[in-house]
Amino acid sequence: MRIKRQLKLSIFTVAFSLLIAVALFLAAFFLWHGRCFPGIWGLWTFLVFSLIGFFCLFLIIHIYRTISKSISFLQKSTKRLADGELYESLERRKNSRGENEITDLIVNLEKMRLSLQNEVKRKERFIMGLSHDLRTPVAVIKGYAEALKDGVFSTREEVDKTVDTILAKSNQLENMINTLINFVKMENSDWAGSKVLQNLYPVLNEFLSSSINSGTVFKRNVSGIIEIDRNEKIYFDRELLLRALENLFSNAMRYTSEGDSICIKAFENENEIFISVADSGTGIDEKDINYIFDFLYRSSSSRREAGYGIGLAVVKNIIDSHGWTITVKSKIEVGTEFTIKIPKNDSKA
């Protein structure tokens, strides 16, 4: 309301000033011709300038009313957003004649409403997913603890097995909490890695060797090749890059079965370096592709699998923090390939 009062005051000040200017002009005009009371010609002149003055006043009032109505219309829309009404579209003017630069802001407000709505839904998914994932290990720990207290397990072997299960679920719970804390820190830039100019080849070679060993243990056919210059240096954070690559590999392991293939490649051209992790697993449904990097999002095919829907969000965060890009290609029952693209001319630390 304060803006409308200031607008009203400004417009009427301009209108009053305009009328004073017209009156002074007429007074000067008549005095110049030595007339206190104008004749016929002077009367016509007075009428013409009076009409001009009234037209200007009418125009100013019309502009004020238009701006005032637009501000009121905009104010109602912003109040709806402030009151949390995110699930109904903001109204536009019923006719185009009422549209102007101020009411056009409704378009941007509507985009903001959709963005806020998506954020609310994202938060709801976060709470639902987190509560679901935390409930499972907590329920197991609670159940086994109550069984121990009630003396259900009579032999030492049963007790030891129960304690091992409780410890395993406690470690799982701790890992989930640590993963969440690390992700939140990265989202808020509270924990940012330091990028250092260093060789990329040793890091990729270490990752490939570790992945091949893990593949042997879990009966996956892991292969790979690194075809980049061994002396190629770029700015990156070693710990963060390894975490991103390990998350991609863990994702490939999770959605493949014994005997499936995982292929890790690194190659380059004149301007860019590419790192890919491909698997022959279950693949990702096309409708899920655009959401797999969202925090706590798990595709429909992943509901039966272990995981918190955090790993790929962490990968995307790390890649973005380096100024790189990551893409994904996938087909159901054929496999998935993630590719990281690194520009060679990135000289920012």
Side-chain angles (χ1 to χ4, degrees):
M1 294 300 292
R2 184 170 55 186
I3 294 177
K4 292 176 68 176
R5 285 198 300 269
Q6 291 176 350
L7 178 65
K8 183 186 293 185
L9 179 62
S10 300
I11 289 178
F12 278 109
T13 300
V14 171
F16 182 73
S17 300
L18 182 62
L19 291 175
I20 293 296
V22 171
L24 291 174
F25 176 81
L26 290 174
F29 178 82
F30 295 137
L31 288 173
W32 178 262
H33 289 275
R35 298 168 179 172
C36 294
F37 299 96
I40 299 299
W41 183 84
L43 180 61
W44 279 107
T45 304
F46 174 79
L47 290 175
V48 169
F49 278 101
S50 297
L51 288 174
I52 293 174
F54 282 116
F55 175 77
C56 293
L57 182 61
F58 171 79
L59 187 61
I60 290 172
I61 293 174
H62 175 72
I63 293 172
Y64 162 74
R65 292 185 61 187
T66 301
I67 295 176
S68 179
K69 288 182 179 179
S70 299
I71 291 176
S72 297
F73 188 77
L74 189 63
Q75 187 181 33
K76 290 179 182 178
S77 299
T78 54
K79 187 176 185 303
R80 285 182 55 190
L81 288 179
D83 292 340
E85 299 179 19
L86 302 178
Y87 293 93
E88 292 185 11
S89 300
L90 298 179
E91 296 180 2
R92 297 289 301 273
R93 286 289 179 87
K94 294 182 179 180
N95 57 74
S96 59
R97 291 182 61 187
E99 296 288 339
N100 53 54
E101 288 79 1
I102 296 177
T103 56
D104 282 346
L105 291 174
I106 298 294
V107 177
N108 293 327
L109 286 175
E110 177 66 11
K111 292 179 181 178
M112 184 174 71
R113 182 191 69 81
L114 293 174
S115 179
L116 290 172
Q117 181 180 330
N118 291 334
E119 191 63 27
V120 169
K121 290 181 178 179
R122 182 172 178 259
K123 186 180 294 185
E124 290 173 351
R125 288 199 305 267
F126 169 80
I127 295 173
M128 292 177 63
L130 185 60
S131 60
H132 174 271
D133 288 331
L134 292 178
R135 189 184 296 117
T136 302
V138 169
V140 172
I141 292 171
K142 181 180 179 181
Y144 277 107
E146 290 175 348
L148 283 174
K149 182 180 180 180
D150 295 339
V152 174
F153 306 109
S154 56
T155 66
R156 182 65 185 179
E157 182 181 358
E158 290 177 333
V159 172
D160 289 342
K161 186 181 293 186
T162 301
V163 171
D164 289 340
T165 301
I166 291 175
L167 286 175
K169 292 300 178 181
S170 299
N171 290 332
Q172 180 185 355
L173 196 59
E174 183 181 22
N175 289 336
M176 290 173 63
I177 294 172
N178 288 336
T179 302
L180 285 169
I181 291 173
N182 287 336
F183 181 80
V184 171
K185 285 182 177 179
M186 292 178 66
E187 281 274 279
N188 297 331
S189 300
D190 292 335
W191 178 65
S194 57
K195 292 184 281 185
V196 179
L197 185 63
Q198 53 190 313
N199 283 337
L200 180 61
Y201 184 90
V203 178
L204 297 181
N205 191 55
E206 176 186 336
F207 166 65
L208 177 59
S209 299
S210 174
S211 300
I212 291 174
N213 292 334
S214 297
T216 302
V217 173
F218 293 99
K219 299 179 180 179
R220 305 294 197 276
N221 296 321
V222 180
S223 61
I225 184 170
I226 302 174
E227 296 180 322
I228 66 171
D229 187 350
R230 297 194 177 205
N231 298 318
E232 184 70 50
K233 290 185 177 182
I234 60 172
Y235 281 104
F236 68 95
D237 182 280
R238 178 187 177 89
E239 180 184 349
L240 292 184
L241 177 58
L242 281 174
R243 175 174 296 188
L245 294 174
E246 287 166 0
N247 281 355
L248 289 177
F249 180 74
S250 297
N251 192 75
M253 291 282 287
R254 183 174 297 119
Y255 300 119
T256 52
S257 305
E258 291 185 6
D260 284 343
S261 300
I262 299 175
C263 183
I264 299 168
K265 292 181 181 179
F267 54 96
E268 63 183 336
N269 59 26
E270 185 178 351
N271 301 314
E272 296 168 320
I273 298 173
F274 301 89
I275 306 170
S276 69
V277 178
D279 65 67
S280 60
T282 57
I284 305 170
D285 198 309
E286 186 177 355
K287 67 182 177 64
D288 296 317
I289 287 287
N290 294 331
Y291 305 101
I292 59 173
F293 292 114
D294 288 354
F295 185 51
L296 282 181
Y297 182 85
R298 288 181 295 181
S299 63
S300 54
S301 62
S302 68
R303 294 297 177 183
R304 66 181 184 274
E305 304 289 344
Y308 319 132
I310 299 174
L312 291 179
V314 171
V315 171
K316 186 70 164 61
N317 196 301
I318 291 173
I319 298 304
D320 288 346
S321 70
H322 281 76
W324 306 341
T325 57
I326 182 169
T327 57
V328 56
K329 294 188 297 184
S330 186
K331 191 173 182 179
I332 294 294
E333 303 303 331
V334 174
T336 303
E337 180 180 13
F338 290 91
T339 302
I340 300 171
K341 185 165 65 174
I342 305 171
K344 289 185 177 181
N345 59 356
D346 183 12
S347 60
K348 296 181 180 180

